[in-house]
Amino acid sequence: MRIAIDGPASAGKTAVGKLAAERLGYRFFDTGLVYRALAVVAIDNGIDPRDEKQLCAAAEQVEVGGPQAEAGGGSTCRVEIDGKELGSRLHEPTVSDMASRVSALGAVRRSLLELQRRVIETGGVVAAGRDVGTVVAPDADLKFFLTASPEVRAERRYDELSKRGRRVDYRTVLWEIKQRDERDRKRVLSPMVPARDAIVIRTDGIGAAQVADLILVEARVKAHE
Ligand code: DC
């Protein structure tokens, strides 16, 4: 099966997606990483975030490597630049901001679409993003849209960044999340909206394991249809 999990930043897509993939014996693919990888190339090469031509040329360097085994027993698709892993750099706040900017450009989205489709089309995958269920894999077998209030998402992001040793201010994190939501939702191409056939789950106050349980129940029902 191909399972799509879309939703805004810090709604729990990665935590939930990894758990669900692990329990189903599937691969987990975070499509946001392809935009983040492109953002790293753009920052490192001083590319203007409005320069579609240069960004599309840079998009050719983004690759999705073979699945990497995770500690819990699942596997995750690695996103690389010319075969090199980018590790924690992919999650730096400047990279998040740049990824949101470059992903608003139509030509950039088109350049990265085929790459994402190739990874998803073989099946046995849980793919997380903003438009997996609407654009990348509209024929996915199951679609979910995870959401939570900006405050709850900012708290999660704040905890995550603090754990990684970054000194951050909660109000700045909240402001950045709201900015990114606004940009992701209002862009003309692939705006962040739930697919018509997506199951919407509000994750405020619900742990990732419980949300993954819900996904597993739906997957079992689907498998018996
Ligand atoms: O999920 P994330 O925060 O890692 O995504 C980084 C940026 O990439 C986000 O601002 C929106 C964009 N993105 C997108 O436009 N389409 C996707 N399928 C995934 C992410």
Side-chain angles (χ1 to χ4, degrees), residues 202-219:
R202 271 197 84 93
T203 67
D204 302 65
I206 313 180
Q210 281 168 286
V211 182
D213 281 343
L214 281 171
I215 292 182
L216 257 82
V217 169
E218 293 294 338

Side-chain angles (χ1 to χ4, degrees), residues 9 13 30-33 35-36 96 99-100 103 109 116 128-132 180 184 187:
K13 303 184 298 289
D30 179 358
T31 63
L33 294 184
Y35 293 100
R36 286 177 178 272
S96 303
S100 171
S103 66
R109 300 198 72 81
Q116 296 173 71
R130 299 289 189 287
D131 64 344
V132 179
R180 213 137 64 87
D184 293 348
R187 67 185 179 209

Side-chain angles (χ1 to χ4, degrees), residues 54-208:
Q54 278 210 59
L55 289 167
C56 289
E60 286 177 20
Q61 294 176 45
V62 181
E63 296 163 1
V64 179
Q68 188 174 35
E70 289 273 336
S75 66
T76 304
C77 298
R78 264 194 323 243
V79 176
E80 302 164 344
I81 297 291
D82 288 333
K84 276 196 283 291
E85 263 199 89
L86 298 159
S88 61
R89 261 213 84 189
L90 287 170
H91 296 283
E92 284 175 4
T94 48
V95 172
S96 303
D97 187 66
M98 182 63 117
S100 171
R101 288 174 196 280
V102 301
S103 66
L105 305 175
V108 168
R109 300 198 72 81
R110 280 191 295 279
S111 334
L112 292 169
L113 189 58
E114 277 315 306
L115 175 69
Q116 296 173 71
R117 286 192 170 151
R118 273 203 306 278
V119 180
I120 297 171
E121 73 188 2
T122 48
V125 63
V126 176
R130 299 289 189 287
D131 64 344
V132 179
T134 47
V135 176
V136 182
D139 55 349
D141 303 283
L142 269 177
K143 300 177 188 176
F144 297 90
F145 191 89
L146 304 192
T147 180
S149 68
E151 288 74 17
V152 165
R153 291 186 284 121
E155 270 170 39
R156 290 180 188 158
R157 183 95 187 112
Y158 175 84
D159 291 344
E160 197 184 306
L161 290 169
S162 305
K163 261 189 231 144
R164 288 198 197 131
R166 295 195 76 95
R167 285 181 56 154
V168 283
D169 164 56
Y170 171 77
R171 274 179 310 184
T172 310
V173 174
L174 178 60
W175 183 82
E176 280 170 0
I177 284 214
K178 286 184 174 170
Q179 289 287 308
R180 213 137 64 87
D181 279 359
E182 181 93 346
R183 215 162 30 219
D184 293 348
R185 208 179 290 131
K186 285 198 174 152
R187 67 185 179 209
V188 183
L189 282 145
S190 287
M192 180 184 62
V193 287
R196 278 184 23 201
D197 49 351
I199 298 168
V200 179
I201 306 175
R202 271 197 84 93
T203 67
D204 302 65
I206 313 180

